[in-house]
Structure formats: structure tokens, C-alpha cells
Amino acid sequence: MRKPYIYGNWKMNLDMHGSSDLISSILSVKIDYTKVDVGVAPDFSSLYKVSQTIKQMGYPISVAAQNISAEEKGAFTGDVSAAMVFAAGADSTILGHSERRMIFAEGDELINQKVKTALRNNLDVILCVGETLDERESGVAADRVVYQVGMGLKDIGMDRINRVTLAYEPVWAIGTGKTATPADAEDIHGKIRTQLSKMYGPVVAEKIRILYGGSVKPDNVSALMMRENIDGALVGGASLDATSFAKLVNFNG
Ligand code: PGA
């Protein structure tokens, strides 16, 4: 049985003051951490403050960067390295988010480099995959997603795969208010698990968590979470409000 995992992706919405207020509000909510894993992904400039606040309160909340550089260090103006976010208190990083793929033209090779860099620097990875509306309408959604999984995890061996969480985020469902139906999402999640099974065998594949992302809200989270291969949610908009995030985390009642 995989433990549910609810992750908030705050994107570029809150400065360090807003992030600090939000994490304090989340920490004041009653959450049974034995039943659900929780994580938040603030912007780079808020990572230290947010991770320190969580540590001081002693809660087991994961903190992720939203992205890292593929490079270790050096003359890469404006980039932030895996070691830097680790030093600031992150234990994980989101990689391959569709906004990075679409707006910043990140391709599968680069994302694979970033996965390796993250793991080498003690960061766990939330690897996002997902098809565009065009790809869905032309019937290649599953092929596209399976390809992204294979490419993103290229050369990641059995010794490190347990530090990776997958997130299926159909591009057309992100920030649009459109959600894949639980059945559509489950179909792709099942195919992702089959691909993981081909790469790592069924025992390992059964243990890897696959989150769903794309307009997850308190009123649709339970129906998604009931599906066999949907193990959690990566949430943007609805994670920016502590009450709504708390409802997501406590989806089970
Ligand atoms: P959304 O974003 O919940 O606002 O659709 C999800 C994501 O991009 O992770």
C-alpha cells in the first residue's frame, strides 16, 4: 500500500513573507502525518525560511525546489544549483514541470541531466510528465507520457529509483480549471506504472508513487485518490490557501 502524498507547488506567487505566512498557517492545521505525506515547493528565495520554520516545529513536511540547474556550479548567471537548494533546506526538487518544458523549452535530455544532478546532490525528485492538448486529441497521450518517463529516468538505476516520485500533469489541465476525469488519469497512471515495471520490475514499480496534477481542488481530490494508481496530488492554485490545502491533505476525512 502506497502512502498518499500531497504536494503544494507555490510557483512564482508568494515572496518570502507570503511563503512564511502560508507555512505557518499550514503548520497550525491538524494533520495526521502517519496517514499522509505532505510537501511544499516555495520559490528559491523562500526555501530557507520555509524549511527552517518546518524544522523548528518538528513536522515531517518535505520541502522542494521548483527547479534546479543541470550544472553543478560555475558561471551560469541566474541559475541555482542542487547543492544550493540543499544547503537552503530543500530535501527534494520538482523537475520537468510542464511550465519548464513549455515556457522555458526544457527538453527530455536536459530534464534527465537535472534528475541525475539532483540525485547526486542528495535531493529526491518529483519528475513531472504530461501531454499537450494536441497530443491528447491526436491519440498519442499515453505514448508521449511513457516516452517522457523513459527519457527522464534514463540511467537511473535500481539504487536510486526509490528517491523518485512521478507526477502526471496533463498540460491542458494545469491552471485551466480542467481536470482529467479520474478514469482518464487512472488510465495514464496505469501506463506509467507499466513502464516503470518494464524498467525496474514489478516489485519496485509497485512502490513508486505517481501523483496527479492539474486543477486538483478540495471537491475533486477524493474521486481521484480513490483510483488504484493515483497515489497523491501535485497542486498549484489550491495549495496557496491554507484552508484549501488542509482539505486536500485531509481528503480522507
Ligand atoms: P494547478 O497546477 O493545480 O494550479 O492546475 C498544478 C501544477 O502545475 O503543479
Side-chain angles (χ1 to χ4, degrees):
M1 188 57 194
R2 295 173 292 270
K3 191 174 176 187
Y5 203 4
I6 307 291
Y7 225 104
N9 173 10
W10 299 350
K11 306 193 181 182
M12 200 174 74
N13 286 303
L14 301 169
D15 65 12
M16 62 179 286
H17 307 293
S19 297
S20 176
D21 289 348
L22 181 53
I23 195 60
S24 297
S25 305
I26 291 171
L27 290 170
S28 68
V29 173
K30 197 168 171 294
I31 295 171
D32 184 351
Y33 292 99
T34 64
K35 296 223 171 81
V36 61
D37 284 336
V38 179
V40 294
D43 73 290
F44 288 133
S45 74
S46 305
L47 272 178
Y48 182 69
K49 177 82 184 145
V50 169
S51 61
Q52 282 295 108
T53 306
I54 292 170
K55 265 191 207 115
Q56 276 155 16
M57 298 286 286
Y59 287 111
I61 296 182
S62 167
V63 178
Q66 297 172 15
N67 180 40
I68 54 160
S69 174
E71 304 293 340
E72 290 287 346
K73 68 181 291 184
F76 301 100
T77 301
D79 246 5
V80 178
S81 74
M84 287 169 183
V85 303
F86 182 75
D91 51 69
S92 307
T93 182
I94 296 173
L95 290 173
H97 190 279
S98 69
E99 285 148 19
R100 301 299 316 173
R101 292 178 189 263
M102 309 288 292
I103 305 169
F104 299 97
E106 292 193 9
D108 289 302
E109 291 279 349
L110 177 70
I111 292 162
N112 178 244
Q113 289 304 320
K114 291 187 177 197
V115 171
K116 291 178 189 160
T117 303
L119 293 172
R120 207 166 42 235
N121 285 279
N122 300 312
L123 295 172
D124 290 350
V125 169
I126 300 164
L127 173 64
C128 303
V129 295
E131 82 285 3
T132 62
L133 186 58
D134 270 2
E135 287 162 346
R136 171 148 290 258
E137 285 176 345
S138 52
V140 297
D143 292 347
R144 180 76 192 120
V145 167
V146 164
Y147 176 80
Q148 289 171 342
V149 172
M151 285 295 291
L153 297 177
K154 191 157 74 71
D155 303 328
I156 305 304
M158 295 287 261
D159 54 328
R160 292 184 294 171
I161 189 61
N162 62 338
R163 292 172 45 210
V164 177
T165 296
L166 272 292
Y168 169 55
E169 300 209 314
V171 175
W172 49 271
I174 293 176
T176 58
K178 289 184 194 150
T179 328
T181 65
D184 284 342
E186 170 62 20
D187 178 47
I188 300 282
H189 280 231
K191 292 192 165 110
I192 293 173
R193 202 172 305 283
T194 304
Q195 172 66 10
L196 292 170
S197 180
K198 279 187 195 150
M199 295 173 76
Y200 300 101
V203 176
V204 172
E206 271 307 303
K207 291 192 184 137
I208 300 175
R209 289 186 288 197
I210 308 173
L211 316 184
Y212 172 78
S215 300
V216 177
K217 306 271 182 275
D219 61 4
N220 61 20
V221 65
S222 303
L224 288 159
M225 292 300 293
M226 273 166 56
R227 298 290 169 148
E228 188 187 334
N229 287 295
I230 301 181
D231 308 314
L234 181 55
V235 188
S239 74
L240 291 171
D241 173 80
T243 310
S244 130
F245 189 63
K247 284 188 189 148
L248 293 168
V249 166
N250 291 323
F251 71 94
N252 239 345

